[in-house]
Amino acid sequence: MAGTDHDKPLITGGPAIILVEPQLGENIGMVARAMANFGLSELRLINPRDGWPSEKARAAASKADHVIDGAVVFDTLEEAVADLNFIYATTARERDGFKPVRGPEEASRRLRTRNDAGERTGILFGRERFGLSNEEVAMADEIVTFPVNPAFASLNIAQAVLLMSYEWMKSGFGAEQTPFAGPDVMPASKEHLNGMIGHLESALDARGYFRPAAKKPKMLDNLRAVLTRPAFTLEEIKLLRGIISSLDYFSPKTPRGSGNPERKAKVDRDRHGKSGETVKDEER
Amino acid sequence: MAGTDHDKPLITGGPAIILVEPQLGENIGMVARAMANFGLSELRLINPRDGWPSEKARAAASKADHVIDGAVVFDTLEEAVADLNFIYATTARERDGFKPVRGPEEASRRLRTRNDAGERTGILFGRERFGLSNEEVAMADEIVTFPVNPAFASLNIAQAVLLMSYEWMKSGFGAEQTPFAGPDVMPASKEHLNGMIGHLESALDARGYFRPAAKKPKMLDNLRAVLTRPAFTLEEIKLLRGIISSLDYFSPKTPRGSGNPERKAKVDRDRHGKSGETVKDEER
């Protein structure tokens, strides 16, 4: 199927493809090849099991060297999405929660609209063995899933990336674009969203909100889902952090559950935000 | 990406996928897997280089055994298409001739129409190394080609089959469908939204958030705008009120600004919400 024309300019840009703990170098290479075919170029890897760079990945990429050479490795999902404004999570399984579910065609149209408005976007793909965890899905704004045969649903990550990349390319054609009211507000980057969620988590922790402790991960997923779906802008997040700071103002006399004498110092530390920035109450 | 439901009936039928002199068993297996994901089942092989059956093909098919077991081998293209009424040839290169050229989406729509009318259809895919010969393309009724990046056009046969199979599946839907849907996001009634905002206003008032007093109406407008735009559902508002209650739990020692000895009673009153309903922490 080769038909490369080396005189044509390479198409780049578009959403980042983010692979969470990919296992096989061959799959990473096939992902790069799929991306290059449809004009995507930004590959992010979170803890690739077999290390990076990978000769197996390069071989399987079939000369998509610009994607392989440009791939960036991260330790955590939070770091990998810190600069992005909007994220899709791909999943084959239905999840609890509050997130809209899109097919690849509609998801690509929405990504294209956001991309054209100057937003930075990304798509998460999970591990070969078991996909994305609920906690990872909770980090995304919306879910994308594929219209597969229910009796045989077995897309690997390279196939899933191929389909999303293909729909991304198609979404750029005038003929296939339908008039679509895009958001007139740009969601804050995930760094700011996560700073706010971390801030709130600390304040709630100090009050014994997360009880019983075993339920904390699920409660935190729900909290994250509720605060992610609105796609708050940076201005909105500043206002909300001012509110959290204000609510968090009084020191506890008797925290719920067991007392914690070290809590005051912790709150003072947290009041300045997890990501280091000082929270200014700019709305006042 | 596994999400197979073994209770669902296997989707079969649709166009035959015809591989002309495929070389690697792994690729044949990946083709079978791609077909099964999107409800195609009829695989025809013309002179597979490494023979048939192939254990490598079966392994790569990832349990698409019904496709592998049903594959039929032919000696010539003429025999392979003898019973078909209409054929597409896939190619990445422009060819001389008079044949209509379609994208995968339109080609799939046309195949669907013919299939529904009782025609037997097929799609030809060429060799890994050099695709289909001009003579083989000439056997087809129309050409299908993929909207790839002109500077990097390198789809392998399994990827090409995946895209055609995917478009075939989509062509059967009126609108794009997903195997599961997100929640119906119905915004809560304004009574619930206003109950939450009132609850929050009281808690913030007690902490001297609205300063100077002359600015309170504007600050309240901003707060209301931020909390209205997300169109929170009732479930989300319940979760958020649980959070506000938790943050509001500690009694003030020294409120910001001027002290207010009557504040404690006010907070107890407000904790039950302005609209009268009791706040239950239902997320716990």
Side-chain angles (χ1 to χ4, degrees):
Chain A
M1 303 296 295
T4 299
D5 182 342
H6 294 285
D7 295 333
K8 296 282 174 64
L10 208 55
I11 301 173
T12 58
I17 298 296
I18 304 159
L19 306 185
V20 180
E21 299 189 346
Q23 293 163 266
L24 298 171
E26 289 88 337
N27 284 340
I28 301 172
M30 288 299 289
V31 162
R33 179 179 182 172
M35 291 169 62
N37 265 296
F38 295 108
L40 293 179
S41 55
E42 190 176 345
L43 178 59
R44 303 183 181 191
L45 306 173
I46 300 169
N47 286 329
R49 186 190 65 184
D50 296 340
W52 193 259
S54 158
E55 279 316 306
K56 285 183 176 170
R58 187 175 298 278
S62 190
K63 301 211 174 80
D65 293 330
H66 61 292
V67 179
I68 294 291
D69 292 337
V72 181
V73 176
F74 295 87
D75 289 330
T76 67
L77 177 54
E78 281 203 5
E79 292 170 76
V81 302
D83 62 322
L84 303 182
N85 303 99
F86 191 89
I87 309 169
Y88 271 104
T90 53
T91 173
R93 296 193 305 279
E94 190 166 1
R95 313 281 183 143
D96 293 335
F98 303 93
K99 292 181 198 305
V101 175
R102 316 286 182 197
E105 188 175 334
E106 179 165 7
S108 297
R109 273 199 301 267
R110 288 169 180 266
L111 285 167
R112 177 71 65 174
T113 303
R114 291 178 179 278
N115 189 74
D116 290 351
E119 294 186 24
R120 305 265 296 139
T121 60
I123 313 170
L124 307 182
F125 294 85
R127 300 151 191 82
E128 285 91 332
R129 291 280 291 282
F130 60 92
L132 296 169
S133 69
N134 287 336
E135 192 181 14
E136 287 155 355
V137 171
M139 296 276 289
D141 295 278
E142 298 187 353
I143 284 172
V144 59
T145 192
F146 299 89
V148 290
N149 185 352
F152 187 89
S154 167
L155 287 180
N156 72 16
I157 56 170
Q159 291 172 321
V161 170
L162 181 76
L163 294 177
M164 277 306 296
S165 304
Y166 164 75
E167 288 287 9
W168 165 257
M169 174 73 107
K170 284 209 307 177
S171 73
F173 302 151
E176 296 200 349
Q177 266 180 345
T178 54
F180 176 76
D184 49 1
V185 284
M186 181 187 289
S189 65
K190 296 304 176 190
E191 181 180 6
H192 292 288
L193 176 66
N194 288 328
M196 175 174 74
I197 292 172
H199 184 175
L200 185 54
E201 181 188 345
S202 303
L204 290 171
D205 252 339
R207 286 160 176 83
Y209 173 80
F210 298 107
R211 287 180 311 167
K215 274 198 159 182
K216 178 171 175 182
K218 177 65 182 157
M219 292 174 75
L220 204 51
D221 281 354
N222 287 342
L223 173 62
R224 179 178 291 281
V226 169
L227 294 176
T228 299
R229 191 182 64 73
F232 288 120
T233 66
L234 184 55
E235 285 309 305
E236 290 175 325
I237 283 183
K238 283 178 182 168
L239 185 146
L240 290 170
R241 289 196 72 160
I243 285 172
I244 297 168
S245 289
S246 178
L247 291 171
D248 194 29
Y249 180 71
F250 297 126
S251 302
K253 282 184 286 198
T254 45
R256 283 191 198 185
S258 60
N260 179 358
E262 289 172 30
R263 191 249 165 203
K264 181 64 171 65
K266 184 168 183 306
V267 169
D268 287 346
R269 204 166 59 242
D270 290 333
R271 188 162 294 148
H272 297 283
K274 280 221 161 163
S275 53
E277 80 271 47
T278 303
V279 178
K280 299 188 206 102
D281 295 347
E282 303 201 1
E283 310 310 314
R284 303 194 175 182
Chain B
M1 303 294 294
T4 299
D5 182 343
H6 295 284
D7 295 332
K8 295 283 174 65
L10 209 55
I11 302 172
T12 58
I17 298 297
I18 304 158
L19 305 186
V20 180
E21 299 188 348
Q23 294 163 264
L24 298 170
E26 289 90 335
N27 284 340
I28 301 172
M30 288 298 291
V31 162
R33 179 179 182 172
M35 292 169 61
N37 265 296
F38 296 108
L40 294 179
S41 55
E42 190 176 345
L43 178 60
R44 303 183 181 192
L45 307 173
I46 300 168
N47 285 330
R49 186 190 67 185
D50 297 338
W52 193 260
S54 158
E55 279 315 304
K56 284 183 177 173
R58 186 176 298 277
S62 190
K63 302 211 174 80
D65 292 329
H66 60 293
V67 179
I68 294 291
D69 293 337
V72 181
V73 176
F74 296 87
D75 288 331
T76 67
L77 178 55
E78 280 200 8
E79 291 171 79
V81 301
D83 61 323
L84 303 182
N85 303 100
F86 189 88
I87 308 169
Y88 272 105
T90 55
T91 173
R93 298 192 305 276
E94 193 169 353
R95 312 280 183 145
D96 293 335
F98 304 95
K99 291 184 200 304
V101 176
R102 316 285 183 196
E105 189 175 333
E106 179 165 8
S108 296
R109 272 199 301 266
R110 288 168 180 268
L111 285 167
R112 177 71 65 174
T113 303
R114 291 178 180 277
N115 188 75
D116 290 351
E119 294 186 26
R120 304 266 296 142
T121 60
I123 313 169
L124 307 182
F125 295 84
R127 301 151 191 82
E128 286 92 332
R129 292 278 291 281
F130 60 92
L132 295 169
S133 70
N134 288 336
E135 193 181 13
E136 287 156 353
V137 172
M139 297 275 287
D141 295 278
E142 298 187 353
I143 285 172
V144 60
T145 192
F146 298 89
V148 290
N149 185 352
F152 187 91
S154 167
L155 287 181
N156 72 16
I157 54 170
Q159 291 172 323
V161 170
L162 182 76
L163 295 178
M164 277 306 296
S165 304
Y166 164 75
E167 288 287 11
W168 165 258
M169 173 73 106
K170 284 210 307 177
S171 72
F173 303 148
E176 189 176 32
Q177 288 177 3
T178 53
F180 54 88
D184 286 331
V185 199
M186 179 189 290
S189 65
K190 296 305 176 191
E191 178 184 7
H192 292 287
L193 176 66
N194 290 329
M196 176 174 75
I197 292 172
H199 183 177
L200 186 55
E201 180 188 345
S202 303
L204 290 171
D205 251 341
R207 287 162 176 81
Y209 174 80
F210 297 109
R211 288 180 310 168
K215 274 199 159 182
K216 178 171 174 181
K218 178 65 183 157
M219 291 174 77
L220 205 51
D221 281 353
N222 287 343
L223 174 61
R224 180 177 292 280
V226 169
L227 295 176
T228 300
R229 191 181 63 74
F232 287 120
T233 65
L234 184 56
E235 287 305 305
E236 290 176 326
I237 283 183
K238 284 178 181 168
L239 184 147
L240 290 169
R241 291 197 71 160
I243 285 170
I244 296 168
S245 289
S246 179
L247 290 171
D248 194 28
Y249 180 72
F250 297 127
S251 302
K253 280 184 287 198
T254 44
R256 284 191 199 182
S258 61
N260 178 359
E262 288 172 29
R263 190 246 164 208
K264 180 65 169 64
K266 183 169 184 306
V267 168
D268 286 346
R269 202 169 58 242
D270 290 332
R271 188 163 293 147
H272 297 283
K274 280 221 162 166
S275 55
E277 79 272 45
T278 303
V279 179
K280 298 189 206 102
D281 296 347
E282 304 205 356
E283 310 309 315
R284 302 198 174 175

PDB file of all heavy atoms in Angstrom, chain B residues 172-197:
ATOM      1  N   GLY B 172     -23.678   0.478   8.352  1.00  0.00           N
ATOM      2  CA  GLY B 172     -24.942  -0.145   8.738  1.00  0.00           C
ATOM      3  C   GLY B 172     -25.735   0.651   9.754  1.00  0.00           C
ATOM      4  O   GLY B 172     -26.857   0.301  10.084  1.00  0.00           O
ATOM      5  N   PHE B 173     -25.134   1.720  10.252  1.00  0.00           N
ATOM      6  CA  PHE B 173     -25.817   2.541  11.257  1.00  0.00           C
ATOM      7  C   PHE B 173     -26.449   3.752  10.604  1.00  0.00           C
ATOM      8  O   PHE B 173     -25.846   4.354   9.719  1.00  0.00           O
ATOM      9  CB  PHE B 173     -24.832   3.081  12.302  1.00  0.00           C
ATOM     10  CG  PHE B 173     -24.042   2.024  13.016  1.00  0.00           C
ATOM     11  CD1 PHE B 173     -22.748   2.296  13.433  1.00  0.00           C
ATOM     12  CD2 PHE B 173     -24.576   0.780  13.279  1.00  0.00           C
ATOM     13  CE1 PHE B 173     -22.016   1.345  14.103  1.00  0.00           C
ATOM     14  CE2 PHE B 173     -23.854  -0.184  13.955  1.00  0.00           C
ATOM     15  CZ  PHE B 173     -22.560   0.096  14.362  1.00  0.00           C
ATOM     16  N   GLY B 174     -27.599   4.162  11.099  1.00  0.00           N
ATOM     17  CA  GLY B 174     -28.151   5.434  10.653  1.00  0.00           C
ATOM     18  C   GLY B 174     -27.255   6.572  11.115  1.00  0.00           C
ATOM     19  O   GLY B 174     -26.687   7.311  10.338  1.00  0.00           O
ATOM     20  N   ALA B 175     -27.082   6.667  12.427  1.00  0.00           N
ATOM     21  CA  ALA B 175     -26.137   7.617  13.003  1.00  0.00           C
ATOM     22  C   ALA B 175     -25.042   6.790  13.661  1.00  0.00           C
ATOM     23  O   ALA B 175     -25.201   5.598  13.876  1.00  0.00           O
ATOM     24  CB  ALA B 175     -26.839   8.495  14.034  1.00  0.00           C
ATOM     25  N   GLU B 176     -23.911   7.420  13.954  1.00  0.00           N
ATOM     26  CA  GLU B 176     -22.819   6.687  14.577  1.00  0.00           C
ATOM     27  C   GLU B 176     -23.291   6.111  15.906  1.00  0.00           C
ATOM     28  O   GLU B 176     -23.922   6.797  16.699  1.00  0.00           O
ATOM     29  CB  GLU B 176     -21.622   7.619  14.805  1.00  0.00           C
ATOM     30  CG  GLU B 176     -20.386   6.867  15.260  1.00  0.00           C
ATOM     31  CD  GLU B 176     -19.169   7.781  15.402  1.00  0.00           C
ATOM     32  OE1 GLU B 176     -19.351   8.956  15.746  1.00  0.00           O
ATOM     33  OE2 GLU B 176     -18.040   7.302  15.178  1.00  0.00           O
ATOM     34  N   GLN B 177     -22.974   4.833  16.134  1.00  0.00           N
ATOM     35  CA  GLN B 177     -23.391   4.185  17.373  1.00  0.00           C
ATOM     36  C   GLN B 177     -22.183   3.770  18.179  1.00  0.00           C
ATOM     37  O   GLN B 177     -21.122   3.513  17.630  1.00  0.00           O
ATOM     38  CB  GLN B 177     -24.210   2.931  17.054  1.00  0.00           C
ATOM     39  CG  GLN B 177     -25.589   3.242  16.512  1.00  0.00           C
ATOM     40  CD  GLN B 177     -26.354   1.994  16.142  1.00  0.00           C
ATOM     41  OE1 GLN B 177     -25.873   0.874  16.341  1.00  0.00           O
ATOM     42  NE2 GLN B 177     -27.539   2.180  15.598  1.00  0.00           N
ATOM     43  N   THR B 178     -22.356   3.676  19.486  1.00  0.00           N
ATOM     44  CA  THR B 178     -21.326   3.124  20.359  1.00  0.00           C
ATOM     45  C   THR B 178     -21.938   1.954  21.111  1.00  0.00           C
ATOM     46  O   THR B 178     -23.143   1.917  21.332  1.00  0.00           O
ATOM     47  CB  THR B 178     -20.810   4.180  21.343  1.00  0.00           C
ATOM     48  OG1 THR B 178     -21.917   4.765  22.032  1.00  0.00           O
ATOM     49  CG2 THR B 178     -20.063   5.293  20.607  1.00  0.00           C
ATOM     50  N   PRO B 179     -21.093   0.986  21.527  1.00  0.00           N
ATOM     51  CA  PRO B 179     -21.635  -0.195  22.209  1.00  0.00           C
ATOM     52  C   PRO B 179     -22.268   0.138  23.557  1.00  0.00           C
ATOM     53  O   PRO B 179     -23.083  -0.604  24.063  1.00  0.00           O
ATOM     54  CB  PRO B 179     -20.425  -1.108  22.400  1.00  0.00           C
ATOM     55  CG  PRO B 179     -19.278  -0.453  21.747  1.00  0.00           C
ATOM     56  CD  PRO B 179     -19.666   0.899  21.286  1.00  0.00           C
ATOM     57  N   PHE B 180     -21.873   1.230  24.158  1.00  0.00           N
ATOM     58  CA  PHE B 180     -22.523   1.673  25.378  1.00  0.00           C
ATOM     59  C   PHE B 180     -22.593   3.187  25.332  1.00  0.00           C
ATOM     60  O   PHE B 180     -21.857   3.826  24.597  1.00  0.00           O
ATOM     61  CB  PHE B 180     -21.779   1.206  26.641  1.00  0.00           C
ATOM     62  CG  PHE B 180     -20.325   1.587  26.671  1.00  0.00           C
ATOM     63  CD1 PHE B 180     -19.920   2.801  27.198  1.00  0.00           C
ATOM     64  CD2 PHE B 180     -19.361   0.727  26.157  1.00  0.00           C
ATOM     65  CE1 PHE B 180     -18.582   3.154  27.225  1.00  0.00           C
ATOM     66  CE2 PHE B 180     -18.022   1.074  26.178  1.00  0.00           C
ATOM     67  CZ  PHE B 180     -17.625   2.294  26.719  1.00  0.00           C
ATOM     68  N   ALA B 181     -23.492   3.752  26.101  1.00  0.00           N
ATOM     69  CA  ALA B 181     -23.687   5.197  26.049  1.00  0.00           C
ATOM     70  C   ALA B 181     -23.300   5.827  27.382  1.00  0.00           C
ATOM     71  O   ALA B 181     -23.298   5.151  28.412  1.00  0.00           O
ATOM     72  CB  ALA B 181     -25.138   5.510  25.734  1.00  0.00           C
ATOM     73  N   GLY B 182     -22.989   7.078  27.337  1.00  0.00           N
ATOM     74  CA  GLY B 182     -22.736   7.816  28.560  1.00  0.00           C
ATOM     75  C   GLY B 182     -24.050   8.097  29.270  1.00  0.00           C
ATOM     76  O   GLY B 182     -25.118   7.784  28.767  1.00  0.00           O
ATOM     77  N   PRO B 183     -23.949   8.663  30.460  1.00  0.00           N
ATOM     78  CA  PRO B 183     -25.167   8.966  31.197  1.00  0.00           C
ATOM     79  C   PRO B 183     -25.972  10.036  30.475  1.00  0.00           C
ATOM     80  O   PRO B 183     -25.426  10.860  29.760  1.00  0.00           O
ATOM     81  CB  PRO B 183     -24.637   9.492  32.534  1.00  0.00           C
ATOM     82  CG  PRO B 183     -23.264  10.004  32.223  1.00  0.00           C
ATOM     83  CD  PRO B 183     -22.748   9.154  31.113  1.00  0.00           C
ATOM     84  N   ASP B 184     -27.273   9.990  30.629  1.00  0.00           N
ATOM     85  CA  ASP B 184     -28.087  11.103  30.171  1.00  0.00           C
ATOM     86  C   ASP B 184     -27.822  12.251  31.128  1.00  0.00           C
ATOM     87  O   ASP B 184     -28.052  12.120  32.319  1.00  0.00           O
ATOM     88  CB  ASP B 184     -29.573  10.747  30.223  1.00  0.00           C
ATOM     89  CG  ASP B 184     -29.936   9.797  29.103  1.00  0.00           C
ATOM     90  OD1 ASP B 184     -29.277   9.858  28.058  1.00  0.00           O
ATOM     91  OD2 ASP B 184     -30.857   8.995  29.288  1.00  0.00           O
ATOM     92  N   VAL B 185     -27.297  13.319  30.598  1.00  0.00           N
ATOM     93  CA  VAL B 185     -26.907  14.403  31.478  1.00  0.00           C
ATOM     94  C   VAL B 185     -28.025  15.424  31.522  1.00  0.00           C
ATOM     95  O   VAL B 185     -28.027  16.376  30.758  1.00  0.00           O
ATOM     96  CB  VAL B 185     -25.597  15.057  31.002  1.00  0.00           C
ATOM     97  CG1 VAL B 185     -24.956  15.839  32.134  1.00  0.00           C
ATOM     98  CG2 VAL B 185     -24.638  14.005  30.505  1.00  0.00           C
ATOM     99  N   MET B 186     -28.978  15.185  32.424  1.00  0.00           N
ATOM    100  CA  MET B 186     -30.038  16.166  32.576  1.00  0.00           C
ATOM    101  C   MET B 186     -29.681  17.123  33.696  1.00  0.00           C
ATOM    102  O   MET B 186     -29.413  16.707  34.822  1.00  0.00           O
ATOM    103  CB  MET B 186     -31.366  15.473  32.904  1.00  0.00           C
ATOM    104  CG  MET B 186     -32.503  16.476  33.099  1.00  0.00           C
ATOM    105  SD  MET B 186     -34.009  15.685  33.729  1.00  0.00           S
ATOM    106  CE  MET B 186     -34.507  14.747  32.280  1.00  0.00           C
ATOM    107  N   PRO B 187     -29.631  18.400  33.387  1.00  0.00           N
ATOM    108  CA  PRO B 187     -29.300  19.357  34.448  1.00  0.00           C
ATOM    109  C   PRO B 187     -30.351  19.293  35.558  1.00  0.00           C
ATOM    110  O   PRO B 187     -31.539  19.105  35.287  1.00  0.00           O
ATOM    111  CB  PRO B 187     -29.358  20.708  33.732  1.00  0.00           C
ATOM    112  CG  PRO B 187     -29.236  20.405  32.279  1.00  0.00           C
ATOM    113  CD  PRO B 187     -29.852  19.048  32.093  1.00  0.00           C
ATOM    114  N   ALA B 188     -29.888  19.446  36.788  1.00  0.00           N
ATOM    115  CA  ALA B 188     -30.810  19.472  37.926  1.00  0.00           C
ATOM    116  C   ALA B 188     -31.759  20.654  37.778  1.00  0.00           C
ATOM    117  O   ALA B 188     -31.461  21.634  37.087  1.00  0.00           O
ATOM    118  CB  ALA B 188     -30.012  19.597  39.223  1.00  0.00           C
ATOM    119  N   SER B 189     -32.898  20.567  38.451  1.00  0.00           N
ATOM    120  CA  SER B 189     -33.808  21.710  38.427  1.00  0.00           C
ATOM    121  C   SER B 189     -33.159  22.874  39.170  1.00  0.00           C
ATOM    122  O   SER B 189     -32.287  22.692  40.014  1.00  0.00           O
ATOM    123  CB  SER B 189     -35.135  21.333  39.069  1.00  0.00           C
ATOM    124  OG  SER B 189     -34.935  21.064  40.435  1.00  0.00           O
ATOM    125  N   LYS B 190     -33.581  24.091  38.841  1.00  0.00           N
ATOM    126  CA  LYS B 190     -32.949  25.290  39.407  1.00  0.00           C
ATOM    127  C   LYS B 190     -33.096  25.353  40.922  1.00  0.00           C
ATOM    128  O   LYS B 190     -32.280  25.942  41.612  1.00  0.00           O
ATOM    129  CB  LYS B 190     -33.550  26.546  38.762  1.00  0.00           C
ATOM    130  CG  LYS B 190     -33.278  26.654  37.271  1.00  0.00           C
ATOM    131  CD  LYS B 190     -31.791  26.586  36.933  1.00  0.00           C
ATOM    132  CE  LYS B 190     -31.580  26.610  35.442  1.00  0.00           C
ATOM    133  NZ  LYS B 190     -30.179  26.291  35.076  1.00  0.00           N
ATOM    134  N   GLU B 191     -34.156  24.737  41.434  1.00  0.00           N
ATOM    135  CA  GLU B 191     -34.332  24.688  42.876  1.00  0.00           C
ATOM    136  C   GLU B 191     -33.105  24.056  43.541  1.00  0.00           C
ATOM    137  O   GLU B 191     -32.607  24.542  44.553  1.00  0.00           O
ATOM    138  CB  GLU B 191     -35.593  23.870  43.189  1.00  0.00           C
ATOM    139  CG  GLU B 191     -35.868  23.700  44.666  1.00  0.00           C
ATOM    140  CD  GLU B 191     -37.083  22.800  44.893  1.00  0.00           C
ATOM    141  OE1 GLU B 191     -37.595  22.234  43.902  1.00  0.00           O
ATOM    142  OE2 GLU B 191     -37.490  22.682  46.047  1.00  0.00           O
ATOM    143  N   HIS B 192     -32.618  22.973  42.945  1.00  0.00           N
ATOM    144  CA  HIS B 192     -31.467  22.289  43.523  1.00  0.00           C
ATOM    145  C   HIS B 192     -30.195  23.105  43.334  1.00  0.00           C
ATOM    146  O   HIS B 192     -29.347  23.185  44.217  1.00  0.00           O
ATOM    147  CB  HIS B 192     -31.322  20.902  42.911  1.00  0.00           C
ATOM    148  CG  HIS B 192     -32.436  19.973  43.304  1.00  0.00           C
ATOM    149  ND1 HIS B 192     -32.530  19.444  44.566  1.00  0.00           N
ATOM    150  CD2 HIS B 192     -33.516  19.526  42.622  1.00  0.00           C
ATOM    151  CE1 HIS B 192     -33.623  18.691  44.643  1.00  0.00           C
ATOM    152  NE2 HIS B 192     -34.245  18.722  43.471  1.00  0.00           N
ATOM    153  N   LEU B 193     -30.067  23.712  42.150  1.00  0.00           N
ATOM    154  CA  LEU B 193     -28.888  24.560  41.914  1.00  0.00           C
ATOM    155  C   LEU B 193     -28.873  25.719  42.900  1.00  0.00           C
ATOM    156  O   LEU B 193     -27.842  26.018  43.530  1.00  0.00           O
ATOM    157  CB  LEU B 193     -28.917  25.084  40.474  1.00  0.00           C
ATOM    158  CG  LEU B 193     -27.780  26.057  40.127  1.00  0.00           C
ATOM    159  CD1 LEU B 193     -26.427  25.346  40.171  1.00  0.00           C
ATOM    160  CD2 LEU B 193     -28.006  26.685  38.747  1.00  0.00           C
ATOM    161  N   ASN B 194     -30.027  26.365  43.051  1.00  0.00           N
ATOM    162  CA  ASN B 194     -30.074  27.526  43.937  1.00  0.00           C
ATOM    163  C   ASN B 194     -29.900  27.131  45.399  1.00  0.00           C
ATOM    164  O   ASN B 194     -29.332  27.892  46.192  1.00  0.00           O
ATOM    165  CB  ASN B 194     -31.378  28.293  43.724  1.00  0.00           C
ATOM    166  CG  ASN B 194     -31.379  28.992  42.375  1.00  0.00           C
ATOM    167  OD1 ASN B 194     -30.313  29.391  41.893  1.00  0.00           O
ATOM    168  ND2 ASN B 194     -32.543  29.117  41.749  1.00  0.00           N
ATOM    169  N   GLY B 195     -30.377  25.941  45.745  1.00  0.00           N
ATOM    170  CA  GLY B 195     -30.135  25.445  47.102  1.00  0.00           C
ATOM    171  C   GLY B 195     -28.642  25.342  47.380  1.00  0.00           C
ATOM    172  O   GLY B 195     -28.146  25.739  48.435  1.00  0.00           O
ATOM    173  N   MET B 196     -27.909  24.826  46.409  1.00  0.00           N
ATOM    174  CA  MET B 196     -26.461  24.689  46.576  1.00  0.00           C
ATOM    175  C   MET B 196     -25.790  26.054  46.661  1.00  0.00           C
ATOM    176  O   MET B 196     -24.912  26.269  47.494  1.00  0.00           O
ATOM    177  CB  MET B 196     -25.879  23.882  45.421  1.00  0.00           C
ATOM    178  CG  MET B 196     -24.363  23.787  45.481  1.00  0.00           C
ATOM    179  SD  MET B 196     -23.660  22.690  44.226  1.00  0.00           S
ATOM    180  CE  MET B 196     -23.824  23.706  42.753  1.00  0.00           C
ATOM    181  N   ILE B 197     -26.199  26.956  45.779  1.00  0.00           N
ATOM    182  CA  ILE B 197     -25.549  28.272  45.776  1.00  0.00           C
ATOM    183  C   ILE B 197     -25.836  28.997  47.089  1.00  0.00           C
ATOM    184  O   ILE B 197     -24.954  29.641  47.674  1.00  0.00           O
ATOM    185  CB  ILE B 197     -26.000  29.087  44.549  1.00  0.00           C
ATOM    186  CG1 ILE B 197     -25.435  28.442  43.272  1.00  0.00           C
ATOM    187  CG2 ILE B 197     -25.527  30.536  44.656  1.00  0.00           C
ATOM    188  CD1 ILE B 197     -25.957  29.038  41.971  1.00  0.00           C
TER     189      ILE B 197
END
